[in-house]
Amino acid sequence: MGALYLVALAIALAGMVVLDRRFRLFFWHPAPHSARRAGIVLVVGVVFFLGWDVAGIRLGIFFRGETAFMTGVQLAPELPLEEVLFLTLLCYLAMNAYGALARVIPLVEERTSAARPRLETTTRDTGEHG
Amino acid sequence: MTYWALDAVFLAAVVVVALVALAVRRPPRPLALAAGLAVLLLLTVVFDNVMIGVGLVAYDPARISGVFVGAAPLEDFAYAVAAAVLLPSLWALLSPRRGSQG
């Protein structure tokens, strides 16, 4: 029970890696030196969000809830081990999503602009029948 | 310090990085960034509510605005905004110069 959240995060993170590798989104992105770039982006992102978390905890804005779902391992007061995995997941998800969308959106735009003349014809036909 | 004030400090840093990416003409793709932001905001609504619901995290009521999306304080969404803007901006900043690609 105590490792439930940690295991859930690890599974989700493994899913991100599988998607990244399968669709070449972030570490496996086809651009040059993508693995090194992705490593820097991920580390800077996680450190940035950890700083945000620690600041929030020190200011007493938020704190670790009392729950049976966490291991209880704390990296700093009120900062559970799970938070590092959560922030890594957030950053990985953000970059997988961006990588996928940056590739898909131009394809959709291309298809839409190619289909536009046909769509206009269809509209005119429908108009005549109506 | 309120949660909004804390968010403002870290979002300011995000804005600086995004502006630098624009200034050196290596901005992230705006449509992909906006769509990615929408994805992250939607997932935050779902998962932040679950995380607060099962008690993974709690907030000092005196330091949050009291505006919620379900059980999630509106301030929490700043994390999604920061992730959606900061990371693609860094990624774009680290892209190789066109000249060196040959």
Side-chain angles (χ1 to χ4, degrees), chain B:
Chain B
M1 198 181 198
T2 64
Y3 197 176
W4 272 133
L6 173 68
D7 283 355
V9 171
F10 283 85
L11 285 177
V14 172
V15 170
V16 168
V17 174
L19 287 177
V20 169
L22 274 174
V24 301
R25 294 169 188 240
R26 277 189 229 174
R29 297 184 187 203
L31 264 182
L33 192 149
L37 174 62
V39 170
L40 286 181
L41 288 175
L42 273 173
L43 289 172
T44 302
V45 173
V46 177
F47 287 98
D48 209 24
N49 271 292
V50 172
M51 288 162 74
I52 293 162
V54 301
L56 293 179
V57 62
Y59 305 84
D60 178 355
R63 293 181 189 273
I64 56 177
S65 65
V67 183
F68 294 95
V69 181
L74 190 60
E75 291 94 321
D76 265 3
F77 291 83
Y79 274 66
V81 174
V85 177
L86 176 69
L87 302 177
S89 297
L90 281 174
W91 174 262
L93 268 173
L94 292 169
S95 65
R97 289 175 189 281
R98 270 182 197 174
S100 70
Q101 268 183 306

Side-chain angles (χ1 to χ4, degrees), chain A residues 15-52:
Chain A
M16 286 299 144
V17 176
V18 169
L19 284 170
D20 177 10
R21 195 177 160 186
R22 169 68 181 80
F23 296 105
R24 308 187 75 191
L25 300 172
F26 188 31
F27 280 86
W28 281 271
H29 196 283
H33 312 298
S34 61
R36 203 182 60 197
R37 283 166 70 195
I40 295 170
V41 168
L42 200 60
V43 169
V44 171
V46 171
V47 168
F48 172 79
F49 284 114
L50 272 177
W52 197 334

Side-chain angles (χ1 to χ4, degrees), chain A residues 14-128:
Chain A
M16 286 299 144
V17 176
V18 169
L19 284 170
D20 177 10
R21 195 177 160 186
R22 169 68 181 80
F23 296 105
R24 308 187 75 191
L25 300 172
F26 188 31
F27 280 86
W28 281 271
H29 196 283
H33 312 298
S34 61
R36 203 182 60 197
R37 283 166 70 195
I40 295 170
V41 168
L42 200 60
V43 169
V44 171
V46 171
V47 168
F48 172 79
F49 284 114
L50 272 177
W52 197 334
D53 269 0
V54 168
I57 290 163
R58 287 212 176 156
L59 291 164
I61 293 167
F62 43 72
F63 39 87
R64 192 178 67 96
E66 291 302 319
T67 169
F69 302 116
M70 284 196 279
T71 55
V73 179
Q74 295 192 41
L75 303 173
E78 300 296 323
L79 185 74
L81 165 69
E82 285 87 344
E83 187 63 9
V84 178
L85 263 95
F86 171 77
L87 294 175
T88 310
L89 179 64
L90 174 70
C91 292
Y92 213 132
L93 167 68
M95 284 310 295
N96 267 359
Y98 176 74
L101 290 162
R103 196 172 305 151
V104 167
I105 287 172
L107 293 177
V108 173
E109 283 176 335
E110 212 171 285
R111 200 166 296 177
T112 315
S113 61
R116 201 164 287 148
R118 252 182 291 147
L119 277 176
E120 278 167 9
T121 318
T122 316
T123 315
R124 222 180 298 137
D125 285 348
T126 317
E128 277 169 16

